[in-house]
Amino acid sequence: MRNLKVTMAFRGTNYHGYQRQNNALTVQEVVEDAVSKILNTKTTIYGCSRTDTGVHAEKFCFSFKTENQIPIRNFIRGINGYLPKDISVLDCEEMPEDFHARFSCVGKTYLYRIHNSESKDPFSTDMALHYRRPIDIELMKKAAEFFVGTHDFGSFCADCSKKLDTIRTIYQFQIEINENDIKILVKGNGFLYNMVRILVGTLLDINEGRIKLSDLESIMNARDRRLAGRTALPHGLYLHEVYYDSI
Amino acid sequence: MRNLKVTMAFRGTNYHGYQRQNNALTVQEVVEDAVSKILNTKTTIYGCSRTDTGVHAEKFCFSFKTENQIPIRNFIRGINGYLPKDISVLDCEEMPEDFHARFSCVGKTYLYRIHNSESKDPFSTDMALHYRRPIDIELMKKAAEFFVGTHDFGSFCADCSKKLDTIRTIYQFQIEINENDIKILVKGNGFLYNMVRILVGTLLDINEGRIKLSDLESIMNARDRRLAGRTALPHGLYLHEVYYDSI
């Protein structure tokens, strides 16, 4: 039995997230149908994570098992022929039997894109948050720095039960600015539900003076979602990279 | 009478070019309607150039005259409220009476974007040419260098009559590569119909060995469109910058 790992990019605008749902179009459904056509047999794929409606992925991994001996190159070409223009398979490789796109994952990097200007950008509609207010980059960088390390992110999680293990490690929380375009990169060993969007929303609330830098510690300690900032809109978020062997 | 110069960006995918046409949606029509609404009177705008169907603009200028004393800032905010998400006004300024977006223009830079990879990029659909073959950047740079300077571009013009003055000056013809993304920037004092697309198509034909570098001189001298390369697809092309006072 072959165990294949596939890396794909998708623009999430037209999908109700990655994970298959009844009565709503999802990336998994579209990709699973394409894989099943290529392999001539109904096939289940396992994604590295869920994603919210409108969230994008630059490198999303999924894995599946098959007896089919199709060469890798033909698989990539073939499946791309079946996929719509907003989903693209970038790579495919043979993995050991015990590999699983979700359970073997040791970390991820998310990207959040902001277009910071008075006027909207017609080229990043649905692909970056349009944010009109001036951004104090140094202030946002200080706030980002606070989150680096191993912390209890219970306040930065949507619908988290108090019993859930909400301790995660953030390795990097970088903010890059290029004219009007801001890229926020968050690299960690795992992320809670909506965690990146709440972290970015908190940075924006700090930028706007609604939350003070000096309050971050007590917000973190409270493990209370209501104290953290807003949830930034989904269309600025990208799954940027998924790590397996090492981070 | 005020004379206003407006800079806007538009994504050309959904328009039959800039210039107003009967029976086809154009950028001019949509923008003119928005300007007329803001100013409460039917107003004609003058664009810096025509653009083909599907071609984009990062900075397109138009000008118009008005008696209306609306403050610049209110005009920008107001018109952006009327414009669809694929057109955005970036700036507006008062100009001397004799300024005209087309006739005062002394040069332009066009950008052509290529996504060079086996798999398509879901984030640049309709915004870059997807080109699968390997690109020999050094060869393409040599070809680009050949076009810099003042030449007769009669072979690089669609529907050009032999009588037309087809002499133009290219100041810069730069090729930048960043992983799979190639940006071609062409700066000149003026451009013939389809000239940038034919120049880029010729570079691609050179890359594919259909045209030799050593043939460029005779192709140029012939003033014959049939000898130059193909016309690159419109959706990779952007009007990047328009110059008025100096280049």
Side-chain angles (χ1 to χ4, degrees), chain A residues 25-65:
Chain A
L25 188 70
T26 62
V27 175
Q28 184 180 2
E29 179 184 334
V30 171
V31 175
E32 230 162 36
D33 286 356
V35 172
S36 299
K37 271 184 203 157
I38 294 287
L39 303 179
N40 279 316
T41 180
K42 196 158 166 43
T43 306
T44 301
I45 65 172
Y46 299 94
C48 60
S49 66
R50 299 180 178 214
T51 61
D52 289 339
T53 297
V55 169
H56 317 289
E58 294 177 300
K59 284 182 183 170
F60 184 100
C61 290
F62 66 85
S63 58
F64 65 94
K65 301 204 172 187

mmCIF file of all heavy atoms in Angstrom, chain A residues 25-65:
data_model
loop_
_atom_site.group_PDB
_atom_site.id
_atom_site.type_symbol
_atom_site.label_atom_id
_atom_site.label_comp_id
_atom_site.label_asym_id
_atom_site.label_seq_id
_atom_site.Cartn_x
_atom_site.Cartn_y
_atom_site.Cartn_z
ATOM 1 N N LEU A 25 -20.076 23.565 0.070
ATOM 2 C CA LEU A 25 -18.919 23.170 -0.727
ATOM 3 C C LEU A 25 -17.635 23.377 0.071
ATOM 4 O O LEU A 25 -17.393 24.449 0.629
ATOM 5 C CB LEU A 25 -18.860 24.000 -2.016
ATOM 6 C CG LEU A 25 -17.788 23.530 -3.013
ATOM 7 C CD1 LEU A 25 -18.159 22.186 -3.623
ATOM 8 C CD2 LEU A 25 -17.573 24.564 -4.097
ATOM 9 N N THR A 26 -16.811 22.345 0.123
ATOM 10 C CA THR A 26 -15.550 22.434 0.854
ATOM 11 C C THR A 26 -14.394 21.999 -0.043
ATOM 12 O O THR A 26 -14.593 21.331 -1.062
ATOM 13 C CB THR A 26 -15.562 21.519 2.096
ATOM 14 O OG1 THR A 26 -15.713 20.158 1.648
ATOM 15 C CG2 THR A 26 -16.696 21.886 3.053
ATOM 16 N N VAL A 27 -13.191 22.402 0.349
ATOM 17 C CA VAL A 27 -12.001 22.034 -0.414
ATOM 18 C C VAL A 27 -11.823 20.514 -0.407
ATOM 19 O O VAL A 27 -11.541 19.893 -1.442
ATOM 20 C CB VAL A 27 -10.749 22.724 0.184
ATOM 21 C CG1 VAL A 27 -9.486 22.251 -0.530
ATOM 22 C CG2 VAL A 27 -10.880 24.243 0.104
ATOM 23 N N GLN A 28 -12.045 19.900 0.758
ATOM 24 C CA GLN A 28 -11.852 18.452 0.855
ATOM 25 C C GLN A 28 -12.725 17.706 -0.151
ATOM 26 O O GLN A 28 -12.259 16.789 -0.838
ATOM 27 C CB GLN A 28 -12.171 17.969 2.276
ATOM 28 C CG GLN A 28 -11.882 16.464 2.435
ATOM 29 C CD GLN A 28 -12.192 15.935 3.835
ATOM 30 O OE1 GLN A 28 -12.669 16.669 4.698
ATOM 31 N NE2 GLN A 28 -11.916 14.657 4.055
ATOM 32 N N GLU A 29 -13.982 18.113 -0.252
ATOM 33 C CA GLU A 29 -14.907 17.430 -1.158
ATOM 34 C C GLU A 29 -14.415 17.509 -2.603
ATOM 35 O O GLU A 29 -14.375 16.502 -3.318
ATOM 36 C CB GLU A 29 -16.292 18.085 -1.027
ATOM 37 C CG GLU A 29 -17.341 17.481 -1.928
ATOM 38 C CD GLU A 29 -18.668 18.230 -1.828
ATOM 39 O OE1 GLU A 29 -18.944 18.855 -0.787
ATOM 40 O OE2 GLU A 29 -19.416 18.211 -2.831
ATOM 41 N N VAL A 30 -13.998 18.716 -3.008
ATOM 42 C CA VAL A 30 -13.555 18.921 -4.390
ATOM 43 C C VAL A 30 -12.277 18.113 -4.667
ATOM 44 O O VAL A 30 -12.148 17.449 -5.703
ATOM 45 C CB VAL A 30 -13.325 20.433 -4.661
ATOM 46 C CG1 VAL A 30 -12.659 20.657 -6.000
ATOM 47 C CG2 VAL A 30 -14.649 21.179 -4.577
ATOM 48 N N VAL A 31 -11.348 18.133 -3.709
ATOM 49 C CA VAL A 31 -10.076 17.431 -3.918
ATOM 50 C C VAL A 31 -10.282 15.920 -3.851
ATOM 51 O O VAL A 31 -9.727 15.166 -4.657
ATOM 52 C CB VAL A 31 -9.026 17.895 -2.886
ATOM 53 C CG1 VAL A 31 -7.751 17.084 -3.018
ATOM 54 C CG2 VAL A 31 -8.724 19.390 -3.077
ATOM 55 N N GLU A 32 -11.098 15.472 -2.917
ATOM 56 C CA GLU A 32 -11.366 14.039 -2.783
ATOM 57 C C GLU A 32 -12.007 13.486 -4.058
ATOM 58 O O GLU A 32 -11.657 12.394 -4.515
ATOM 59 C CB GLU A 32 -12.303 13.811 -1.586
ATOM 60 C CG GLU A 32 -11.806 12.747 -0.637
ATOM 61 C CD GLU A 32 -12.477 12.841 0.729
ATOM 62 O OE1 GLU A 32 -13.672 13.174 0.805
ATOM 63 O OE2 GLU A 32 -11.789 12.592 1.720
ATOM 64 N N ASP A 33 -12.917 14.265 -4.634
ATOM 65 C CA ASP A 33 -13.545 13.833 -5.885
ATOM 66 C C ASP A 33 -12.501 13.719 -6.996
ATOM 67 O O ASP A 33 -12.529 12.778 -7.792
ATOM 68 C CB ASP A 33 -14.633 14.837 -6.315
ATOM 69 C CG ASP A 33 -15.886 14.709 -5.449
ATOM 70 O OD1 ASP A 33 -15.921 13.806 -4.597
ATOM 71 O OD2 ASP A 33 -16.800 15.533 -5.619
ATOM 72 N N ALA A 34 -11.567 14.692 -7.044
ATOM 73 C CA ALA A 34 -10.540 14.665 -8.097
ATOM 74 C C ALA A 34 -9.590 13.485 -7.884
ATOM 75 O O ALA A 34 -9.236 12.769 -8.834
ATOM 76 C CB ALA A 34 -9.771 15.986 -8.120
ATOM 77 N N VAL A 35 -9.182 13.240 -6.635
ATOM 78 C CA VAL A 35 -8.296 12.107 -6.343
ATOM 79 C C VAL A 35 -9.002 10.800 -6.713
ATOM 80 O O VAL A 35 -8.412 9.911 -7.356
ATOM 81 C CB VAL A 35 -7.900 12.078 -4.837
ATOM 82 C CG1 VAL A 35 -7.145 10.794 -4.501
ATOM 83 C CG2 VAL A 35 -7.055 13.298 -4.481
ATOM 84 N N SER A 36 -10.271 10.701 -6.366
ATOM 85 C CA SER A 36 -11.024 9.476 -6.637
ATOM 86 C C SER A 36 -11.140 9.214 -8.143
ATOM 87 O O SER A 36 -11.085 8.071 -8.598
ATOM 88 C CB SER A 36 -12.422 9.560 -6.003
ATOM 89 O OG SER A 36 -12.295 9.701 -4.596
ATOM 90 N N LYS A 37 -11.287 10.295 -8.916
ATOM 91 C CA LYS A 37 -11.366 10.143 -10.387
ATOM 92 C C LYS A 37 -10.050 9.626 -10.943
ATOM 93 O O LYS A 37 -10.023 8.710 -11.761
ATOM 94 C CB LYS A 37 -11.672 11.500 -11.038
ATOM 95 C CG LYS A 37 -13.164 11.766 -11.165
ATOM 96 C CD LYS A 37 -13.383 13.081 -11.919
ATOM 97 C CE LYS A 37 -14.745 13.654 -11.569
ATOM 98 N NZ LYS A 37 -14.795 15.097 -11.790
ATOM 99 N N ILE A 38 -8.940 10.235 -10.497
ATOM 100 C CA ILE A 38 -7.624 9.832 -11.001
ATOM 101 C C ILE A 38 -7.324 8.380 -10.661
ATOM 102 O O ILE A 38 -6.758 7.638 -11.461
ATOM 103 C CB ILE A 38 -6.507 10.702 -10.342
ATOM 104 C CG1 ILE A 38 -6.613 12.143 -10.766
ATOM 105 C CG2 ILE A 38 -5.113 10.147 -10.641
ATOM 106 C CD1 ILE A 38 -6.181 12.378 -12.181
ATOM 107 N N LEU A 39 -7.701 7.970 -9.445
ATOM 108 C CA LEU A 39 -7.360 6.631 -8.977
ATOM 109 C C LEU A 39 -8.439 5.609 -9.320
ATOM 110 O O LEU A 39 -8.281 4.415 -9.040
ATOM 111 C CB LEU A 39 -7.128 6.649 -7.465
ATOM 112 C CG LEU A 39 -6.055 7.630 -6.973
ATOM 113 C CD1 LEU A 39 -5.952 7.564 -5.452
ATOM 114 C CD2 LEU A 39 -4.698 7.326 -7.607
ATOM 115 N N ASN A 40 -9.539 6.090 -9.921
ATOM 116 C CA ASN A 40 -10.636 5.195 -10.292
ATOM 117 C C ASN A 40 -11.240 4.453 -9.118
ATOM 118 O O ASN A 40 -11.811 3.359 -9.287
ATOM 119 C CB ASN A 40 -10.164 4.167 -11.334
ATOM 120 C CG ASN A 40 -10.150 4.758 -12.709
ATOM 121 O OD1 ASN A 40 -11.093 5.441 -13.095
ATOM 122 N ND2 ASN A 40 -9.067 4.525 -13.423
ATOM 123 N N THR A 41 -11.116 5.028 -7.917
ATOM 124 C CA THR A 41 -11.746 4.389 -6.764
ATOM 125 C C THR A 41 -11.977 5.434 -5.676
ATOM 126 O O THR A 41 -11.168 6.357 -5.517
ATOM 127 C CB THR A 41 -10.891 3.228 -6.206
ATOM 128 O OG1 THR A 41 -11.568 2.672 -5.085
ATOM 129 C CG2 THR A 41 -9.516 3.686 -5.767
ATOM 130 N N LYS A 42 -13.087 5.301 -4.972
ATOM 131 C CA LYS A 42 -13.431 6.284 -3.943
ATOM 132 C C LYS A 42 -12.334 6.296 -2.878
ATOM 133 O O LYS A 42 -12.000 5.274 -2.291
ATOM 134 C CB LYS A 42 -14.783 5.925 -3.334
ATOM 135 C CG LYS A 42 -15.383 7.069 -2.548
ATOM 136 C CD LYS A 42 -16.888 6.947 -2.395
ATOM 137 C CE LYS A 42 -17.394 7.925 -1.328
ATOM 138 N NZ LYS A 42 -16.777 9.267 -1.413
ATOM 139 N N THR A 43 -11.762 7.463 -2.651
ATOM 140 C CA THR A 43 -10.593 7.571 -1.785
ATOM 141 C C THR A 43 -10.826 8.659 -0.738
ATOM 142 O O THR A 43 -11.354 9.726 -1.055
ATOM 143 C CB THR A 43 -9.359 7.950 -2.634
ATOM 144 O OG1 THR A 43 -9.244 7.002 -3.699
ATOM 145 C CG2 THR A 43 -8.079 7.939 -1.809
ATOM 146 N N THR A 44 -10.437 8.384 0.497
ATOM 147 C CA THR A 44 -10.538 9.386 1.565
ATOM 148 C C THR A 44 -9.174 10.029 1.760
ATOM 149 O O THR A 44 -8.158 9.336 1.805
ATOM 150 C CB THR A 44 -10.982 8.728 2.887
ATOM 151 O OG1 THR A 44 -12.238 8.100 2.660
ATOM 152 C CG2 THR A 44 -11.130 9.761 3.991
ATOM 153 N N ILE A 45 -9.162 11.366 1.856
ATOM 154 C CA ILE A 45 -7.893 12.064 2.108
ATOM 155 C C ILE A 45 -7.916 12.641 3.516
ATOM 156 O O ILE A 45 -8.977 12.941 4.060
ATOM 157 C CB ILE A 45 -7.635 13.171 1.060
ATOM 158 C CG1 ILE A 45 -8.679 14.298 1.161
ATOM 159 C CG2 ILE A 45 -7.602 12.599 -0.358
ATOM 160 C CD1 ILE A 45 -8.365 15.522 0.292
ATOM 161 N N TYR A 46 -6.721 12.772 4.115
ATOM 162 C CA TYR A 46 -6.606 13.279 5.480
ATOM 163 C C TYR A 46 -5.811 14.573 5.460
ATOM 164 O O TYR A 46 -4.632 14.577 5.110
ATOM 165 C CB TYR A 46 -5.942 12.228 6.376
ATOM 166 C CG TYR A 46 -6.771 10.962 6.416
ATOM 167 C CD1 TYR A 46 -6.515 9.899 5.546
ATOM 168 C CD2 TYR A 46 -7.869 10.871 7.276
ATOM 169 C CE1 TYR A 46 -7.325 8.775 5.542
ATOM 170 C CE2 TYR A 46 -8.686 9.741 7.273
ATOM 171 C CZ TYR A 46 -8.406 8.696 6.408
ATOM 172 O OH TYR A 46 -9.222 7.590 6.395
ATOM 173 N N GLY A 47 -6.470 15.670 5.814
ATOM 174 C CA GLY A 47 -5.836 16.988 5.767
ATOM 175 C C GLY A 47 -5.041 17.278 7.022
ATOM 176 O O GLY A 47 -5.283 16.689 8.084
ATOM 177 N N CYS A 48 -4.096 18.214 6.920
ATOM 178 C CA CYS A 48 -3.254 18.563 8.074
ATOM 179 C C CYS A 48 -4.020 19.362 9.112
ATOM 180 O O CYS A 48 -3.621 19.426 10.272
ATOM 181 C CB CYS A 48 -2.018 19.331 7.620
ATOM 182 S SG CYS A 48 -2.388 20.877 6.774
ATOM 183 N N SER A 49 -5.114 20.014 8.721
ATOM 184 C CA SER A 49 -5.928 20.760 9.686
ATOM 185 C C SER A 49 -7.230 21.197 9.045
ATOM 186 O O SER A 49 -7.399 21.097 7.827
ATOM 187 C CB SER A 49 -5.178 21.986 10.188
ATOM 188 O OG SER A 49 -4.985 22.898 9.137
ATOM 189 N N ARG A 50 -8.129 21.698 9.867
ATOM 190 C CA ARG A 50 -9.326 22.356 9.348
ATOM 191 C C ARG A 50 -8.942 23.779 8.969
ATOM 192 O O ARG A 50 -7.933 24.300 9.445
ATOM 193 C CB ARG A 50 -10.400 22.433 10.428
ATOM 194 C CG ARG A 50 -10.833 21.087 10.924
ATOM 195 C CD ARG A 50 -11.901 21.237 11.981
ATOM 196 N NE ARG A 50 -12.330 19.901 12.393
ATOM 197 C CZ ARG A 50 -13.561 19.601 12.758
ATOM 198 N NH1 ARG A 50 -14.496 20.538 12.780
ATOM 199 N NH2 ARG A 50 -13.875 18.371 13.103
ATOM 200 N N THR A 51 -9.747 24.403 8.160
ATOM 201 C CA THR A 51 -9.579 25.848 7.956
ATOM 202 C C THR A 51 -10.975 26.463 7.944
ATOM 203 O O THR A 51 -11.949 25.786 7.611
ATOM 204 C CB THR A 51 -8.879 26.203 6.627
ATOM 205 O OG1 THR A 51 -9.668 25.712 5.539
ATOM 206 C CG2 THR A 51 -7.475 25.626 6.539
ATOM 207 N N ASP A 52 -11.071 27.735 8.309
ATOM 208 C CA ASP A 52 -12.362 28.427 8.298
ATOM 209 C C ASP A 52 -12.748 28.847 6.885
ATOM 210 O O ASP A 52 -11.904 28.962 6.004
ATOM 211 C CB ASP A 52 -12.290 29.703 9.153
ATOM 212 C CG ASP A 52 -12.198 29.396 10.633
ATOM 213 O OD1 ASP A 52 -12.572 28.287 11.044
ATOM 214 O OD2 ASP A 52 -11.732 30.284 11.380
ATOM 215 N N THR A 53 -14.012 29.140 6.712
ATOM 216 C CA THR A 53 -14.531 29.692 5.455
ATOM 217 C C THR A 53 -13.724 30.929 5.061
ATOM 218 O O THR A 53 -13.514 31.812 5.891
ATOM 219 C CB THR A 53 -16.007 30.108 5.651
ATOM 220 O OG1 THR A 53 -16.760 28.942 5.949
ATOM 221 C CG2 THR A 53 -16.573 30.756 4.391
ATOM 222 N N GLY A 54 -13.252 30.963 3.827
ATOM 223 C CA GLY A 54 -12.553 32.154 3.326
ATOM 224 C C GLY A 54 -11.054 32.171 3.601
ATOM 225 O O GLY A 54 -10.342 33.014 3.069
ATOM 226 N N VAL A 55 -10.577 31.246 4.440
ATOM 227 C CA VAL A 55 -9.139 31.175 4.741
ATOM 228 C C VAL A 55 -8.427 30.455 3.595
ATOM 229 O O VAL A 55 -8.961 29.517 3.002
ATOM 230 C CB VAL A 55 -8.901 30.446 6.093
ATOM 231 C CG1 VAL A 55 -7.430 30.112 6.298
ATOM 232 C CG2 VAL A 55 -9.435 31.300 7.247
ATOM 233 N N HIS A 56 -7.212 30.915 3.280
ATOM 234 C CA HIS A 56 -6.441 30.370 2.166
ATOM 235 C C HIS A 56 -5.309 29.458 2.649
ATOM 236 O O HIS A 56 -4.993 29.435 3.835
ATOM 237 C CB HIS A 56 -5.822 31.516 1.363
ATOM 238 C CG HIS A 56 -6.758 32.651 1.127
ATOM 239 N ND1 HIS A 56 -7.827 32.544 0.267
ATOM 240 C CD2 HIS A 56 -6.829 33.897 1.659
ATOM 241 C CE1 HIS A 56 -8.500 33.688 0.273
ATOM 242 N NE2 HIS A 56 -7.908 34.533 1.115
ATOM 243 N N ALA A 57 -4.693 28.767 1.706
ATOM 244 C CA ALA A 57 -3.508 27.970 2.052
ATOM 245 C C ALA A 57 -2.491 28.072 0.938
ATOM 246 O O ALA A 57 -2.823 27.897 -0.236
ATOM 247 C CB ALA A 57 -3.891 26.511 2.275
ATOM 248 N N GLU A 58 -1.268 28.404 1.309
ATOM 249 C CA GLU A 58 -0.181 28.419 0.332
ATOM 250 C C GLU A 58 0.433 27.028 0.225
ATOM 251 O O GLU A 58 0.881 26.615 -0.833
ATOM 252 C CB GLU A 58 0.871 29.442 0.745
ATOM 253 C CG GLU A 58 0.337 30.862 0.681
ATOM 254 C CD GLU A 58 1.354 31.877 1.154
ATOM 255 O OE1 GLU A 58 1.780 31.762 2.335
ATOM 256 O OE2 GLU A 58 1.711 32.775 0.382
ATOM 257 N N LYS A 59 0.485 26.335 1.361
ATOM 258 C CA LYS A 59 0.988 24.955 1.380
ATOM 259 C C LYS A 59 0.196 24.156 2.397
ATOM 260 O O LYS A 59 0.517 24.176 3.581
ATOM 261 C CB LYS A 59 2.477 24.933 1.730
ATOM 262 C CG LYS A 59 3.360 25.361 0.582
ATOM 263 C CD LYS A 59 4.821 25.281 0.940
ATOM 264 C CE LYS A 59 5.675 25.783 -0.219
ATOM 265 N NZ LYS A 59 7.080 25.936 0.169
ATOM 266 N N PHE A 60 -0.816 23.486 1.911
ATOM 267 C CA PHE A 60 -1.652 22.639 2.750
ATOM 268 C C PHE A 60 -1.289 21.203 2.405
ATOM 269 O O PHE A 60 -1.156 20.865 1.231
ATOM 270 C CB PHE A 60 -3.122 22.913 2.417
ATOM 271 C CG PHE A 60 -4.102 22.176 3.289
ATOM 272 C CD1 PHE A 60 -4.730 22.823 4.345
ATOM 273 C CD2 PHE A 60 -4.400 20.836 3.061
ATOM 274 C CE1 PHE A 60 -5.642 22.155 5.146
ATOM 275 C CE2 PHE A 60 -5.297 20.155 3.868
ATOM 276 C CZ PHE A 60 -5.923 20.808 4.912
ATOM 277 N N CYS A 61 -1.099 20.358 3.417
ATOM 278 C CA CYS A 61 -0.762 18.953 3.136
ATOM 279 C C CYS A 61 -1.927 18.036 3.450
ATOM 280 O O CYS A 61 -2.649 18.243 4.426
ATOM 281 C CB CYS A 61 0.444 18.529 3.966
ATOM 282 S SG CYS A 61 1.949 19.334 3.411
ATOM 283 N N PHE A 62 -2.102 17.044 2.606
ATOM 284 C CA PHE A 62 -3.014 15.949 2.956
ATOM 285 C C PHE A 62 -2.346 14.633 2.572
ATOM 286 O O PHE A 62 -1.393 14.618 1.790
ATOM 287 C CB PHE A 62 -4.389 16.121 2.285
ATOM 288 C CG PHE A 62 -4.406 16.028 0.787
ATOM 289 C CD1 PHE A 62 -4.488 14.808 0.122
ATOM 290 C CD2 PHE A 62 -4.363 17.196 0.014
ATOM 291 C CE1 PHE A 62 -4.526 14.742 -1.276
ATOM 292 C CE2 PHE A 62 -4.397 17.139 -1.381
ATOM 293 C CZ PHE A 62 -4.477 15.903 -2.026
ATOM 294 N N SER A 63 -2.811 13.552 3.162
ATOM 295 C CA SER A 63 -2.245 12.244 2.822
ATOM 296 C C SER A 63 -3.363 11.254 2.541
ATOM 297 O O SER A 63 -4.510 11.465 2.965
ATOM 298 C CB SER A 63 -1.333 11.743 3.945
ATOM 299 O OG SER A 63 -2.039 11.647 5.159
ATOM 300 N N PHE A 64 -3.034 10.240 1.799
ATOM 301 C CA PHE A 64 -4.004 9.169 1.523
ATOM 302 C C PHE A 64 -3.245 7.904 1.139
ATOM 303 O O PHE A 64 -2.087 7.964 0.720
ATOM 304 C CB PHE A 64 -4.990 9.573 0.419
ATOM 305 C CG PHE A 64 -4.349 9.767 -0.932
ATOM 306 C CD1 PHE A 64 -4.314 8.724 -1.857
ATOM 307 C CD2 PHE A 64 -3.774 10.984 -1.280
ATOM 308 C CE1 PHE A 64 -3.722 8.900 -3.106
ATOM 309 C CE2 PHE A 64 -3.178 11.163 -2.523
ATOM 310 C CZ PHE A 64 -3.154 10.112 -3.435
ATOM 311 N N LYS A 65 -3.917 6.780 1.293
ATOM 312 C CA LYS A 65 -3.313 5.492 0.934
ATOM 313 C C LYS A 65 -3.960 4.956 -0.338
ATOM 314 O O LYS A 65 -5.156 5.164 -0.558
ATOM 315 C CB LYS A 65 -3.483 4.507 2.083
ATOM 316 C CG LYS A 65 -2.816 5.049 3.360
ATOM 317 C CD LYS A 65 -2.425 4.002 4.350
ATOM 318 C CE LYS A 65 -1.609 4.677 5.456
ATOM 319 N NZ LYS A 65 -1.023 3.766 6.417
#
